[in-house]
Amino acid sequence: MGRRKKEPGSVHRKNIVSAASDLFMERGIAATSMDDIAKAAGYSKATLYVYFENKEEIVGILVLNSMKKLYDYISSALTAHETTKARYDFICRGLVQYQEEFPFYFRMVLDKINIDFESRDYLPEEKETYQVGEEINEKIKNFLLSGMEKGDLRGDLDIMPAIFNFWGMLSGIIQLAVNKEEYIKKSMGLSKTEFLEYGFSLVYHSIAAKEELSKQTMKKIERCLK
C-alpha cells in the first residue's frame, strides 16, 4: 500500500476508470455500484470517493474517452486517401474496427449527450465530449462538402441533416450486424462482412451523384466482361 500511496492521483483515477469500464461492459452501468468499482480496482470505498464524487463522473470520463477514440478513427480515415469513395470506405472500415475493439464505447457514443451548458450544472467531461463531437461533425462536413465540390456527391445535400443521417445509418448498420449476425447468416446466407459491405454501399448510393453512380456501374460492367 505504501507504494500505491506514492503514485500520483492520475494513476489512481486511471486504475479506477479501467476497473469501472470492465464492470460496465460485463454488467451494465445501472447494475454496477461504487462498491463494486472499489473492490474491482482494489481500493476502499472511502478512497474511491477521494478521486471521484460519484459514478456519473466515471461514466462521463468513459464517454469522453470513447469520443476521443472515435475522433482518432475518423481523422485517420479522412487523411488516408484523397478520393471521395476511398475516404468513405475508410470511414466505414474505421467505424467497424472501432466497434470491434471498443464495443462498449461504440454503444456509449450513440447514447444521448448533454448539450445544455447554461441552465444547469454539468461535468467538465460533458462539455469536452460535446466539443469533440462537434469536431467530428466538422470533419464529416468537410468530407461531404469536398465530395460535392468534386461532383462525387449529390449537390442538394442539406449538410447538418445529412451528417446526422450519415451517422445514424452507418452506426445502425454496424450495430445491427453485431446483434443479428447469426440471423443474417441463416436467413440471408451473408457473413457479417458481406452484410456490412452491402449496407455501406446502399448508404453511399444515397448520397452519391448520378455521374458517380454511372462510373461505378461502368466499372462493374467492365469487370464482368473481362
Side-chain angles (χ1 to χ4, degrees), residues 72-102:
D72 291 339
Y73 275 80
I74 297 300
S75 296
S76 297
L78 292 176
T79 56
H81 290 275
E82 294 184 1
T83 67
T84 302
K85 184 59 167 60
R87 296 175 85 195
Y88 171 81
D89 289 341
F90 268 75
I91 289 174
C92 294
R93 292 178 192 177
L95 287 174
V96 171
Q97 184 180 356
Y98 174 59
Q99 190 282 325
E100 290 175 346
E101 292 187 21
F102 309 102

Side-chain angles (χ1 to χ4, degrees), residues 103-220:
F104 182 65
Y105 286 160
F106 185 83
R107 291 193 298 271
M108 291 179 76
V109 166
L110 300 181
D111 286 342
K112 180 180 178 181
I113 63 172
N114 180 36
I115 61 172
D116 181 5
F117 304 111
E118 296 180 1
S119 61
R120 72 175 186 85
D121 293 332
Y122 59 87
L123 297 171
E125 290 80 14
E126 288 183 303
K127 189 168 185 178
E128 190 174 352
T129 296
Y130 171 79
Q131 291 169 339
V132 174
E134 289 296 281
E135 291 174 11
I136 293 174
N137 286 338
E138 187 66 21
K139 285 189 173 293
I140 298 300
K141 174 184 174 181
N142 292 334
F143 160 72
L144 293 175
L145 288 174
S146 173
M148 292 165 70
E149 290 173 1
K150 293 176 181 178
D152 297 332
L153 302 182
R154 288 166 42 187
D156 63 344
L157 293 178
D158 191 349
I159 294 300
M160 285 310 295
I163 290 173
F164 273 76
N165 277 279
F166 185 84
W167 283 123
M169 288 187 285
L170 293 183
S171 60
I173 290 168
I174 293 170
Q175 195 61 60
L176 182 65
V178 173
N179 294 343
K180 302 290 186 179
E181 183 173 1
E182 290 301 317
Y183 177 82
I184 290 168
K185 184 177 181 180
K186 183 177 180 180
S187 65
M188 305 175 200
L190 296 175
S191 67
K192 179 178 141 183
T193 299
E194 291 170 333
F195 177 79
L196 286 172
E197 288 178 352
Y198 181 77
F200 294 153
S201 178
L202 284 180
V203 174
Y204 187 76
H205 277 61
S206 72
I207 62 174
K210 291 183 179 179
E211 182 180 351
E212 175 70 9
L213 293 177
S214 297
K215 291 178 184 177
Q216 292 181 42
T217 302
M218 288 304 299
K219 287 181 180 178
K220 289 181 180 178

